[in-house]
Amino acid sequence: MQLGTRWTAGEQPPKAVPEALHAQIAAVENALTPDGLSAPAPRWTLTWLEGRPVAELDTGVIVTQDPSGEVVVRYDDDDEFA
């Protein structure tokens, strides 16, 4: 059993986050645009799906590994199932 974890964007990812995801997580964070309203930074949630890590940012960006091990960045589009 693997437990997930949460952390704030801009912080060092916890040890539970596989090193393979770190570069893409950093790239996503570098692309974040501050809103100028002093809103808190979004938070990441790490979960595991079929043994693969899934890091999801509160904004809907998802960084995961596909079955071949390639790191994939996508946006959670709720309209996808409409």
Side-chain angles (χ1 to χ4, degrees):
M1 174 187 218
Q2 291 179 295
L3 299 177
T5 189
R6 285 184 54 83
W7 73 101
T8 302
E11 294 179 353
Q12 178 69 27
K15 290 181 181 182
V17 179
E19 186 69 34
L21 301 185
H22 286 210
Q24 288 303 321
I25 287 171
V28 168
E29 291 176 353
N30 288 335
L32 292 175
T33 305
D35 62 10
L37 300 174
S38 298
R43 292 183 50 85
W44 289 97
T45 302
L46 174 70
T47 56
W48 297 85
L49 180 63
E50 297 178 354
R52 293 190 304 272
V54 178
E56 182 170 2
L57 193 58
D58 290 341
T59 63
V61 175
I62 297 171
V63 179
T64 190
Q65 282 183 296
D66 68 13
S68 70
E70 181 178 346
V71 177
V72 178
V73 179
R74 65 182 179 85
Y75 189 79
D76 184 19
D77 185 2
D78 290 338
D79 295 334
E80 175 180 340
F81 299 105

